Each structure stands twice: as C-alpha cells, then as structure tokens.
Amino acid sequence: MAREVDLIVPLKPPHAGKSRLRGVSASTSAVEHAALVLALAADTLTAAVTAPGVRRVVVVATDPAELADLRDLDVELVAEPGTAGLNGALRHGAAVLRGDDPAGVIAALQADLPALRPAELAAALGEADGRRAFTADRHGTGTTLLVSAPGGPLDPRFGAGSADAHAASGAVPLGLDAPSLRGDVDTPGDLDHARALGLGRHTAALLGVPRAA
C-alpha cells in the first residue's frame, strides 16, 4: 500500500467495558474482568502496530494512566476530553492526527479483535485505496474498521447498526474475506469464535488456551 495510515483505537476504562463478557475468565471478579478487557486490547494493538502500512497507533482513553502498560506496545495514549462517547473519542483522535498531517489517511479500529492478523488489517487498508471505507463485523451489523480518504473526514457512526449507518453516510463497504478483522468480541459466543480463529498471546495466556500459530 502506497500511503501509510494512522490508526485510532478507542478504549473504555477496562473495568467498565465489555459487560457481556463478565465471568468468562477464571474469576468473576472485577479485577479479572478488567484484565480480560486489557488482554483483548493488547492483542488488537500488537497486531495493529505490526501491520504493513500502519504508521501510528493512537489509543484514546478516558484515563490513560489506567492503560500505562500498553505503552510497551509502541502505541500513543491520548486522553479523551469529557464524556463524548465512542464517536466523540474517535473525533478527538482524528483531530490529534489531523493536526500533525492534514492530508493523511486515518482509520478507526475497534479494540476487541484478539485474533487480529496484521496481514488482514493491511489488506483492508489496501482495499480502501484512498476511499472512505469500512469493514463490517462478522454479523454484518457492526463496524470493526473505518478508514478516511486522504485528508477527508472520518465521520464515525459507531453504535447499533453502524454498518448501515456508515454505508448511508457514503463509506464503501470492503468485501475482503478477513475473519480476524471481522471477529470483534462482545459476547461469550464471539470469544469462542475468536478462540477458533486463534487468539493472540495476551488473551490466550489469560484464558489458559493455546495461542495462535
């Protein structure tokens, strides 16, 4: 891919995210749940920073201090201003990146892709090819990746029915077969699907299952 892409990854406080996954780790405690949320994010970020064509990865968080360990993954932590929600956090991250490179390509990536393969992310960014585009999740209703055109608005529409919302706003749906990129984890069933694809090392270690080859 000729043009490099800067990624924004939004992340809620670990203790507050992924409420439907409570109890799937070895313990039902809040500490163990937060560890699972962080493991999902760490595997997503590990893949993202090594994907060909990715230049920067910015994590937008309510409290970056809670995520200090993620700095070891070569990501940048940016504080989310106020309580603007997911789309507000993404708009803030986009503004930060646009301040450094007004003509660049920026993309939003969900933080719950523990089976993500760098090659699949790179392939999606390449397929976007200068267009505002998105990848739907495996159910076809949500969005796991949204890419801007060079210098263009990201215009995130995440939330219920985001795939339709992004398509209605002019984003091009990407058609590549990328199961690890489409495999976000919101429910225990989603986690089982990601496990079948092959989890990254952080989530695999936490759950005590073999990691992906």
Side-chain angles (χ1 to χ4, degrees):
M1 187 176 60
R3 186 182 287 269
E4 291 183 311
V5 177
D6 297 327
L7 292 180
I8 311 161
V9 180
L11 192 56
K12 291 181 179 178
H15 67 275
K18 299 296 169 189
S19 60
R20 286 181 285 176
L21 291 179
R22 293 191 185 279
V24 302
S25 57
S27 168
T28 59
S29 74
V31 171
E32 287 293 332
H33 178 74
L36 175 60
V37 174
L38 277 175
L40 298 176
D43 284 327
T44 304
L45 295 169
T46 297
V49 298
T50 57
V54 172
R55 179 173 60 176
R56 295 172 65 183
V57 178
V58 171
V59 177
V60 181
T62 305
D63 184 1
E66 288 191 81
L67 310 176
D69 289 348
L70 296 180
R71 292 188 192 276
D72 293 339
L73 303 178
D74 198 26
V75 302
E76 304 167 46
L77 300 181
V78 174
E80 175 187 345
T83 56
L86 175 58
N87 291 313
L90 290 170
R91 286 191 290 269
H92 178 66
V96 170
L97 292 171
R98 280 278 177 260
D100 291 335
D101 186 358
V105 176
I106 56 178
L109 181 70
Q110 296 284 47
D112 55 355
L113 299 165
L116 183 61
R117 303 294 188 268
E120 290 189 5
L121 175 57
L125 297 175
E127 185 183 338
D129 192 27
R131 303 170 295 174
R132 181 168 172 268
F134 72 96
T135 301
D137 64 14
R138 70 187 181 95
H139 304 292
T141 56
T143 302
T144 60
L145 174 72
L146 174 66
V147 188
S148 80
L154 185 62
D155 192 16
R157 309 288 182 94
F158 287 88
S162 65
D164 285 344
H166 286 131
S169 69
V172 177
L174 299 177
L176 79 167
D177 181 20
S180 76
L181 178 58
R182 298 183 187 275
D184 59 335
V185 173
D186 290 315
T187 67
D190 293 335
L191 187 57
D192 288 340
H193 177 77
R195 184 184 288 113
L197 293 175
L199 296 170
R201 68 181 181 89
H202 298 90
T203 309
L206 184 71
L207 297 180
V209 299
R211 62 171 296 189

